[in-house]
Amino acid sequence: MKPKVTVVGAGNVGAQCAYRLAQRGAADVTLIDVVEGLPQGKALDMSQAGAVDGFDALITGTNNYADTKESAVVVITAGLARKPGMSRDDLIGKNAAIMKSVVENSVKHSPHAVLLIVTNPLDVMTHYARRISGYPANRVLGMAPLLDAARMQYFIADTCKCSIKDVYAEVLGSHGDLMVPVPRLSTVKGKPITELLTAEQIKAIVDKTTNGGAEIVALLKSGSAYYAPGSAAAAMAEAIVTDSKKVISSCVQLSGQYGIKNVYLGAPAKLGKAGVEEVLEIELTAAEKGALQNAAQAVQALYPVLP
Ligand code: A3D
């Protein structure tokens, strides 16, 4: 029997995550939403796509948390997405209420699960999910740094006119204006982009990465990005259920790394069955470390706003 991954929220991100998980084949997927019929309809549609795309996966749609029982990973995408002109932090009140009920229900039926948070504002919601769940920090993490790195990889590949597969990008910090892309550690086939591109080109890549989500929100006019976010959440859930020990940039609780304690922030983390099995501390310059500490302060300043 395959491990079970529950995806809460059958909207844009949740559906893409469920579909990519089904295609990847490492887990059975339960898709749950408050809207009746929505997860059931999408689960049927995805199951039938298996005939065309050549995968067998058990995808169940439901409105009942009893069907999520004994999930190995619960991916939480339930919540409002931003509209043009909104910051991610504007979502905090409404999404905290949704997060509370989702976490309480999930924990009741899957007391040993790893919670993977996608709902925005990401860094704050991940901290909140840990608080509500009472789980140890290794079993609650957030998706976003992987997405932010993917966006930076795209902008580097586009600038260098090379394959995205040859590009590595390092992004730390928060999922917002204080994100910390690190050009010095971002490479094309091992060569740092600081040796390949001009300072102006690098600044443009950093700015586009930081505003990557807002650019898509402005173009879509309603809703936010979902293909890359859903794929990133699926890749992380798979890394956990397969006990892969892959190092993936994740939103994790820091416990002294980078001089920061008790704050959820983006950093490279080894993922396996226990969730976050190790947070890696990479050597940063004083400026990079300072930027990370600014991000930590900004995220922490939002904690008192939570109910
Ligand atoms: P959307 O397509 O609106 O889907 C959200 C779904 O959540 C809807 O189907 C709702 O019915 C459902 N929902 C609402 N309340 C509940 C509940 N209590 N229980 C179960 N389901 C519920 O939005 P989306 O999929 O585009 O985005 C979902 C969330 O992810 C938003 O908060 C986005 O801001 C966030 N998001 C985060 C990232 C990151 O990189 C962290 C990227 C993209 C989106």
Side-chain angles (χ1 to χ4, degrees), residues 153 162-168 187-190:
Q153 279 172 271
C162 68
S163 166
I164 201 166
K165 293 183 200 160
D166 290 331
V167 179
Y168 176 80
T187 58
V188 178
K189 270 278 183 233

Side-chain angles (χ1 to χ4, degrees), residues 190-201:
K191 197 167 171 95
I193 59 166
T194 43
E195 294 172 24
L196 287 170
L197 300 172
T198 64
E200 266 167 30
Q201 285 174 310

Side-chain angles (χ1 to χ4, degrees), residues 229-260:
S231 291
M236 291 175 71
E238 185 190 73
I240 295 165
V241 294
T242 58
D243 199 26
S244 70
K245 317 291 186 199
K246 275 190 182 166
V247 175
I248 295 182
S249 292
S250 310
C251 177
V252 293
Q253 190 177 63
L254 297 178
S255 54
Q257 298 90 346
Y258 307 100
I260 299 165

